[in-house]
Amino acid sequence: MTDSKQSLRLWLKLLSCSTAIEKKARAMLTRRFDTTLPRFDVMAALDREPDGLTMGALSEHLLVSNGNVTTIVARLVEDGLVTRTQDKTDRRVLRVRLTAKGKRDFRLYAAAHEAWIEQLLGDLADNEIHHLLSGLGRVKTSIERSGL
């Protein structure tokens, strides 16, 4: 086990790296596509689910409140990027899907996003990325086992 200061330094370094990447991604999405990271995240979740997701499942997937998702989805509907329909099995439930335009737009966003991440992490060699991924896997396991 490492001393508590080392663990704290690790957590702060992980947080600062994550924040820096997120800040750059937000700025690039706004600059290049006039969209936001939350919209990108909703579209990414929907892109992985061809049958769409319920509003509740979308909230759970994104780890945000239903209210936050409702606002984002409403704007995406206005822009013609997603549809919101009643679920076939439970009419009280709304299911959200990407439209054809939403799929096309998301593919552009995702390709650019991937290129930006590649550029941001471009100084890392493949073996460094492999070691970081392995270590972060152990970090995640430690967190899950912590009992907190």
Side-chain angles (χ1 to χ4, degrees), residues 9-130:
R9 284 185 195 104
L10 172 61
W11 175 71
L12 290 171
K13 186 61 75 176
L14 289 170
L15 185 60
S16 68
C17 288
S18 177
T19 301
I21 291 169
E22 183 177 321
K23 184 177 178 181
K24 299 264 187 193
R26 282 180 188 278
M28 291 304 296
L29 284 166
T30 300
R31 187 177 315 134
R32 175 107 181 262
F33 299 110
D34 193 29
T35 195
T36 65
L37 188 56
R39 286 170 57 105
F40 177 85
D41 290 342
V42 167
M43 293 174 77
L46 294 174
D47 186 63
R48 290 187 290 272
E49 300 291 338
D51 293 331
L53 290 168
T54 65
M55 292 290 286
L58 189 54
S59 294
E60 286 177 25
H61 179 79
L62 298 172
L63 305 174
V64 297
S65 72
N66 283 340
N68 287 348
V69 170
T70 299
T71 302
I72 296 165
V73 167
R75 289 189 181 129
L76 289 169
V77 168
E78 288 173 15
D79 294 341
L81 301 172
V82 302
T83 60
R84 206 175 21 198
T85 57
Q86 287 181 323
D87 191 78
K88 293 175 185 172
T89 58
D90 185 345
R91 298 184 63 79
R92 297 169 297 174
V93 174
L94 292 174
R95 184 166 290 278
V96 183
R97 289 181 182 85
L98 285 175
T99 63
K101 178 182 180 351
K103 289 176 188 177
R104 282 191 310 272
D105 284 6
F106 178 72
R107 298 270 187 306
L108 290 173
Y109 302 168
H113 181 268
E114 183 177 348
W116 300 330
I117 299 302
E118 288 287 330
Q119 186 175 354
L120 290 171
L121 302 178
D123 289 345
L124 299 174
D126 286 345
N127 67 324
E128 290 174 304
I129 291 173
H130 174 77

